């Protein structure tokens, strides 16, 4: 501002003001909020202009120097990104409209899904990049049973035997899990998104200054996060109770901020933009009540959030309410439709918004300034730190991640290696970030413990029909604890009631820090064999076993092992009902076994990829014999191989093959130890046990198409399934009767495990209805 202009302005302000009265004047029209004061003087000298000018000059030169050019030349815009679960994706359409119409977003705050989208925008992403980012997210992995592909072999065995999605802890009594999802994949997603900003001192240093809103459960109050780890801040505001675990940060237990401030217009106002624009994506108008468990929960949470939202919106100058009618909170896969809804909502406020439009020159200057603050490069880490791991696991992490040091960070490979640690199941999640210490950059890998476990309690419900009319129901449980005999040891205790009750114990103990291990086994079981004729059970034979054994093995890889050992068992076989034509016997049995297991599949239900193979060689050295009975287990050697492999043709279609075969070589085992068919995908048009033999071979080829999905967090995909089976169980090659069968059904991944409903029929007239809950593939 020129001297003459300043004089004219001050003279104008002093008109009618008594001498000596202080007057506040703005330094510029654009910076009205910054004022300076001066006193009007009564000028008596004839040279009024000169003296007044001199007085004004003295006053002005006495004031602190002010950089007027530093004041903004336009109104500043702040955006409040609101929560709304999947509906929050609509924010991308808002950002796109602002970009196309050259309206800069100078500051922002976000809650819940608005925190994720707003936070991603704050890192410098454009609307196109945000769309690509959201479309790249595998929502099935993010919200499904995501840890199974990364479990080690023992944890996969747990998940197959007890496929329920509910995991209980026994740390302080029997405690249910803190959430339906462990948050592991969300942690990795956020670590990837925020990695370049690891040294961030304040969220004001982001390309767009940002605030994150969460709720501290300890204090019961809203928390505004503006510094520290950007990844944990975003993770905090996404921690919807019962869905994701809370976040421990700075002595606070943080969850989704939506309950207290779902659209944080008040937080944006505290950043002093000229105008505050709130974006509402959270509520679809409804006059109905959803009386389902999760429907009532969702509508109750919505009702509680509405009151706080209305209070926060009073701080906004305008609200863009996106029409989300027809969209649920779990419609993550309708990205493009939601973005269009957001764009349309902004277009509906065109006249109000265009007054904040800037010139092309100002827009390019804003883009350049934002881009100059964006970070993308990651330094090479030179050291590794771990937090939260046991000694053995920490050593494994250091060994596994050593190739990532002194090299450019390969994020996909790093995430894969970390997922192997999350697959141990003893940690809530495992994540990473870069840190600076002593002038060096390092890689920090942090494990978050599960507050309710270990020990773990796994529960399983198994229902299967052995014929079209006969069912077997069993309730089973497994107690799993770690480090009872040193770091890395595992103790399993199993029990089951109902059909085939049993109790068992297995103690796994690694040898030093090597891949070698020993396993001690003990247990008792009661098993009933149905004698099936023409699709009906005509007799039952029961076997009781009590035994113990030991194995020595080596972990060939995370998903493969080979082990062998010896065992001794006392058995008692007797007739339970009908006349099975089998002898009663009792005595001791001594055996040796060798097995190999490989499991690279990504699901225990209908995998999209991977192979599972189990080969078992068993020899019985001694066993009770029955005079004049043609069959005996003494000296018996048996070999069995079961393998299944899956391949995806597309996102919805997959094919699979199952091969199973076994031989008793030259032996003739007791009927209780013959190979049995009739299980799903193993000539299942027969009843279980309707076909037995000293040898068997079955090849099954199948296809599955995903029809739909159960709601996220409580279920997974639902498949239509078709399979063709060919094989036989036989005592010799001369009496092998090859059977061909066709099956079809529905397979659903539910909260309690896989559910199979279908039918199977043979070309020779065999027919059976199929129903099963629990483990499907053997």
């Amino acid at each position: 501002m020129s001297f003459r202009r300043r004089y004219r302005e001050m003279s104008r302000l002093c008109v009618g003001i008594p001498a000596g009265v202080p007057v506040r004047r703005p330094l510029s029209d654009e910076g009205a909020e910054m004022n300076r004061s001066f006193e009007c003087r009564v000028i008596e000298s004839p040279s009024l202009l000169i003296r007044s000018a001199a007085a004004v000059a003295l006053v002005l030169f006495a004031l602190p120097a002010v950089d007027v050019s530093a004041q903004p030349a336009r109104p500043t815009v702040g955006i409040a990104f609101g929560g709304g679960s999947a509906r929050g994706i609509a924010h991308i359409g808002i950002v796109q409209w602002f970009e196309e119409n050259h309206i800069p977003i100078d500051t922002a705050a976000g809650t819940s899904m608005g925190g994720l989208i707003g936070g991603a925008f704050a890192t410098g992403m454009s609307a196109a990049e945000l769309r690509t980012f959201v479309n790249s997210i595998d929502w099935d992995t993010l919200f499904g049973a995501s840890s199974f592909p990364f479990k080690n072999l023992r944890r996969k065995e747990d998940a197959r035997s007890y496929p329920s999605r509910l995991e209980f802890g026994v740390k302080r009594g029997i405690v249910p899990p803190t959430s339906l999802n462990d948050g592991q994949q969300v942690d990795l997603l956020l670590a990837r998104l925020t990695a370049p900003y690891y040294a961030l001192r304040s969220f004001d240093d982001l390309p767009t200054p940002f605030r994150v809103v969460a709720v501290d459960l300890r204090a019961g109050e809203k928390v505004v996060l503006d510094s520290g780890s950007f990844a944990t801040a975003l993770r905090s505001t996404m921690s919807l109770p019962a869905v994701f675990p809370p976040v421990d940060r700075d002595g606070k237990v943080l969850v989704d901020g939506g309950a207290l401030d779902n659209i944080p217009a008040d937080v944006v106002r505290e950043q002093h933009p000229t105008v505050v624009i709130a974006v509402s994506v959270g509520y679809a108008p409804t006059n109905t009540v959803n009386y389902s468990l999760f429907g009532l929960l969702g509508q109750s949470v919505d009702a509680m959030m509405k009151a706080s939202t209305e209070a926060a919106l009073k701080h906004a100058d305008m609200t863009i309410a996106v029409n989300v009618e027809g969209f649920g909170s779990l419609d993550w896969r309708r990205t493009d439709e939601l973005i269009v809804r957001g764009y349309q909502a902004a277009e509906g406020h065109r006249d109000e918004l265009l007054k904040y439009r800037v010139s092309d020159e100002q827009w390019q200057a804003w883009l350049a300034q934002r881009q100059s603050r964006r970070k993308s490069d990651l330094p090479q880490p030179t050291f590794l730190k771990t937090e939260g791991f046991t000694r053995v696991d920490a050593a494994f992490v250091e060994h596994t991640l050593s190739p990532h040091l002194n090299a450019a960070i390969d994020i996909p490979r790093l995430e894969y290696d970390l997922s192997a640690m999350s697959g141990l199941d003893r940690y809530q999640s495992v994540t990473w970030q870069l840190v600076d210490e002593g002038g060096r950059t390092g890689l920090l890998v942090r494990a978050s413990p599960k507050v309710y476990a270990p020990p773990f309690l796994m529960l399983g419900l198994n229902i299967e029909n052995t014929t079209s009319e006969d069912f077997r129901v069993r309730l089973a449980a497994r107690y799993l604890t770690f480090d009872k005999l040193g770091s890395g040891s595992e103790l399993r205790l199993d029990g089951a009631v109902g059909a085939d009750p049993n109790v068992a114990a297995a103690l796994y103990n690694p040898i030093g820090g090597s891949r070698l291990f020993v396993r001690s086994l003990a247990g008792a079981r009661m098993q009933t064999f149905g004698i099936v004729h023409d699709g009906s059970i005509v007799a039952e034979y029961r076997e009781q076993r009590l035994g113990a054994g030991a194995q020595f093995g080596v972990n060939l890889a995370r998903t493969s092992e080979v082990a062998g050992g010896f065992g001794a068992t006392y058995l008692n076989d007797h007739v339970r009902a009908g006349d099975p034509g089998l002898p009663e016997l009792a005595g001791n049995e001594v055996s040796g076994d060798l097995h190999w297991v490989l499991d690279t599949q990504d699901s225990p239900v209908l995998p999209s990829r991977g192979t599972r193979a189990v080969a078992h060689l068993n020899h019985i050295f001694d066993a009770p014999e029955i005079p004049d009975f043609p069959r005996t287990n003494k000296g018996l050697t048996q070999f069995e191989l079961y393998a299944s492999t899956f391949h995806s043709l597309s996102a919805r279609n997959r094919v699979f093959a199952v091969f199973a075969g076994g031989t008793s070589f030259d032996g003739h085992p007791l009927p209780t130890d013959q190979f049995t068919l009739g299980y799903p995908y193993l000539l299942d048009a027969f009843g279980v046990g309707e076909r037995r033999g000293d040898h068997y071979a079955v090849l099954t080829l199948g296809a599955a198409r995903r029809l739909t999905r159960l709601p996220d967090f409580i279920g997974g995909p639902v498949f239509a399934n078709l399979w063709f089976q060919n094989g036989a169980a036989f005592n010799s090659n001369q009496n092998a009767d090859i059977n061909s069968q066709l099956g079809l059904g529905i397979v659903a991944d539910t909260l309690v495990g896989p559910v199979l409903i279908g039918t199977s029929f043979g070309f020779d007239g065999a027919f059976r209805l199929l129903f099963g809950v629990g483990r499907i593939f053997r």
Side-chain angles (χ1 to χ4, degrees):
M1 183 182 292
S2 67
F3 177 84
R4 179 173 297 178
R5 181 179 172 187
R6 289 189 181 186
Y7 171 74
R8 286 200 303 268
E9 181 183 4
M10 295 178 66
S11 300
R12 173 177 55 81
L13 291 173
C14 285
V15 174
I17 304 298
V21 176
V23 176
R24 304 283 296 177
R25 65 169 289 278
L27 288 178
S28 69
D29 294 336
E30 297 85 359
E33 72 279 8
M34 300 179 62
N35 299 322
R36 293 292 186 269
S37 64
F38 62 91
E39 294 182 355
C40 293
R41 304 288 183 182
V42 176
I43 308 297
E44 298 179 353
S45 169
S47 53
L48 177 63
L49 179 60
I50 296 175
R51 290 194 175 189
S52 297
V56 171
L58 288 174
V59 172
L60 291 175
F61 289 136
L63 293 174
V66 176
D67 182 6
V68 178
S69 63
Q71 306 307 314
R74 59 174 177 80
T76 53
V77 176
I79 300 291
F81 290 88
S85 297
R87 296 180 291 245
I89 295 173
H91 287 110
I92 298 175
I94 303 286
V95 173
Q96 180 183 341
W97 193 94
F98 274 51
E99 287 181 353
E100 292 179 1
N101 290 279
H102 290 188
I103 299 175
I105 299 174
D106 300 287
T107 189
T111 298
S112 193
M113 191 62 178
L116 175 61
I117 301 299
F121 170 78
T123 65
M125 285 188 180
S126 65
E129 290 172 312
L130 289 172
R131 182 191 292 264
T132 300
F133 167 66
V134 172
N135 280 328
S136 70
I137 297 174
D138 184 345
W139 300 105
D140 293 352
T141 299
L142 203 69
F143 298 136
S146 58
S147 64
F148 189 87
F150 312 109
K151 293 179 185 289
N152 64 29
L153 183 62
R154 293 180 300 283
R155 300 292 77 79
K156 284 190 173 184
E157 290 173 346
D158 292 337
R160 289 186 183 279
S161 299
Y162 299 87
S164 168
R165 289 171 176 256
L166 296 178
E167 174 188 82
F168 295 85
V170 200
K171 184 174 286 188
R172 303 177 185 88
I174 299 178
V175 182
T178 57
S179 60
L180 294 172
N181 186 284
D182 59 15
Q184 171 66 44
Q185 296 304 312
V186 176
D187 284 342
L188 293 179
L189 174 73
L190 297 178
R192 186 188 326 139
L193 173 68
T194 63
Y197 298 94
Y198 70 95
L200 202 63
R201 290 174 298 177
S202 166
F203 296 171
D204 286 336
D205 297 332
L206 289 163
T208 296
F210 195 67
R211 299 289 184 270
V212 180
V213 179
V215 170
D216 179 13
L217 292 181
R218 284 200 173 105
E221 61 186 16
K222 180 178 74 175
V223 176
V224 178
L225 302 172
D226 59 4
S227 62
S229 168
F230 194 34
T232 60
L234 297 180
R235 177 67 174 76
S236 299
T237 198
M238 293 182 65
S239 296
L240 186 65
V243 174
F244 293 117
V247 173
D248 291 320
R249 171 177 159 141
D250 303 326
K252 300 178 175 66
V253 179
L254 302 177
V255 297
D256 192 319
L260 296 183
D261 199 353
N262 196 47
I263 307 178
D266 53 332
V267 177
V268 177
R269 176 64 70 190
E270 293 172 357
Q271 300 176 70
H272 306 295
T274 307
V275 59
V276 175
I277 300 174
V279 180
S280 174
V281 296
Y283 313 110
T286 179
N287 294 318
T288 62
V289 175
N290 184 342
Y291 285 95
S292 69
L293 173 62
F294 288 93
L296 287 173
L297 176 62
Q299 286 189 275
S300 298
V301 172
D302 283 352
M304 289 186 291
M305 289 194 299
K306 284 180 180 178
S308 62
T309 297
E310 291 172 358
L313 288 179
K314 294 178 181 179
H315 297 270
D317 296 293
M318 66 174 293
T319 300
I320 300 176
V322 180
N323 178 12
V324 291
E325 186 173 1
F327 290 91
S329 59
L330 301 179
D331 282 332
W332 311 97
R333 299 157 188 86
R334 300 174 66 184
T335 298
D336 292 338
E337 298 172 71
L338 284 164
I339 292 175
V340 169
R341 288 289 182 94
Y343 188 93
Q344 292 171 342
E347 179 67 20
H349 292 267
R350 166 176 285 272
D351 294 340
E352 299 170 79
L353 293 172
L354 284 182
K355 57 186 176 184
Y356 306 114
R357 181 187 180 114
V358 299
S359 66
D360 290 346
E361 181 181 356
Q362 288 175 309
W363 176 254
Q364 293 302 322
W366 178 80
L367 287 178
Q369 184 270 346
R370 190 166 183 259
Q371 187 64 29
S372 69
R373 295 159 62 94
R374 187 171 184 178
K375 299 181 183 298
S376 58
D377 296 332
L378 295 177
Q380 295 183 4
T382 59
F383 65 92
L384 176 67
K385 288 183 61 177
T386 61
E387 293 181 1
F389 292 99
T390 65
R391 178 178 56 83
V392 171
D393 290 344
F396 177 76
V397 171
E398 292 169 1
H399 171 75
T400 303
L401 299 186
S402 59
H404 295 277
L405 300 181
N406 300 303
I409 292 183
D410 182 346
I411 291 181
R413 182 64 191 178
L414 177 60
E415 291 180 345
Y416 178 85
D417 290 340
L418 291 179
S419 294
M421 296 307 304
S422 69
L424 294 174
D425 278 0
R426 66 185 303 164
Y427 305 109
Q428 190 76 67
S429 66
V430 179
T431 189
W432 67 278
Q433 69 178 78
L434 294 172
V435 292
D436 283 336
E437 289 186 4
R440 298 190 303 155
T441 299
L443 181 63
L444 171 63
V445 180
R446 179 184 295 111
S448 300
K450 293 182 176 180
V451 297
Y452 60 95
F456 296 98
L457 179 65
M458 306 171 197
L459 301 177
L461 170 65
N462 295 283
I463 304 174
E464 62 179 353
N465 61 328
T466 56
T467 68
S468 293
E469 301 174 349
D470 297 282
F471 287 82
R472 295 197 300 181
V473 179
R474 185 174 67 162
L475 296 175
R478 170 170 290 173
Y479 173 88
L480 172 65
T481 188
F482 301 110
D483 306 330
K484 290 301 183 182
L485 287 182
S487 184
S489 64
E490 301 175 6
L491 174 64
R492 287 173 172 168
L493 299 176
D494 288 280
V497 295
D500 299 337
N502 68 79
V503 293
L507 178 61
Y508 168 92
N509 198 28
I511 300 176
S514 69
R515 294 186 175 187
L516 302 177
F517 65 86
V518 293
R519 182 185 286 126
S520 303
L521 306 166
R525 74 178 187 188
M526 181 185 299
Q527 188 172 5
T528 300
F529 300 89
I531 307 302
V532 180
H533 181 69
D534 290 336
S536 299
I537 296 177
V538 297
E540 289 184 343
Y541 192 69
R542 174 165 289 178
E543 179 176 83
Q544 297 170 320
R545 285 180 172 265
L546 174 65
Q551 294 178 340
F552 175 82
V554 58
N555 292 304
L556 302 176
R558 181 172 55 88
T559 57
S560 179
E561 74 171 32
V562 60
F566 298 91
T569 302
Y570 175 81
L571 61 88
N572 185 346
D573 292 357
H574 60 274
V575 177
R576 183 174 184 269
D579 182 11
L582 301 176
E584 297 192 357
L585 76 160
N588 296 317
E589 184 177 276
V590 179
S591 63
D593 70 278
L594 178 67
H595 74 260
W596 167 72
V597 184
L598 170 71
D599 192 344
T600 63
Q601 293 177 352
D602 60 359
S603 169
V605 185
L606 276 177
S608 63
R609 65 181 184 276
T611 297
R612 177 173 178 265
V614 180
H616 187 252
L617 178 66
N618 183 70
H619 180 76
I620 300 177
F621 296 98
D622 192 20
E625 295 184 275
I626 304 172
D628 301 323
F629 193 75
R631 293 183 170 274
T632 180
N633 286 349
K634 187 174 182 178
L636 175 69
T637 300
Q638 289 183 309
F639 174 78
E640 185 174 19
L641 173 65
Y642 179 97
S644 62
T645 185
F646 287 77
H647 177 71
S648 289
L649 301 178
S650 65
R652 299 177 67 92
N653 301 304
R654 60 197 59 174
V655 293
F656 62 90
V658 176
F659 172 78
T663 179
S664 300
F665 299 100
D666 295 328
H668 301 287
L670 294 173
T672 53
D673 288 282
Q674 285 185 301
F675 299 107
T676 303
L677 299 180
Y679 298 104
Y681 307 102
L682 295 178
L683 296 184
D684 46 30
F686 296 129
V688 174
E690 190 171 354
R691 289 292 188 274
R692 297 177 182 273
D694 298 343
H695 319 276
Y696 85 104
V698 177
L699 175 64
T700 298
L701 302 177
R705 177 174 175 81
R706 191 181 70 199
L707 301 177
T708 184
R709 286 188 61 86
L710 298 175
D712 288 321
F713 311 111
I714 65 171
V718 178
F719 294 94
N721 198 4
L722 177 69
W723 61 98
F724 174 76
Q725 310 158 90
N726 198 62
F730 50 93
N731 293 330
S732 66
N733 294 333
Q734 289 73 27
N735 64 10
D737 181 15
I738 305 301
N739 299 273
S740 297
Q741 298 178 356
L742 188 66
L744 55 94
I746 299 293
V747 177
D749 184 4
T750 75
L751 193 64
V752 297
V755 173
L756 167 65
I757 301 174
T759 186
S760 181
F761 57 90
F763 297 162
D764 59 356
F767 175 81
R768 178 175 158 208
L769 297 175
L770 301 172
F771 178 80
V773 176
R775 188 167 186 167
I776 296 177
F777 288 91
R778 309 310 292 180

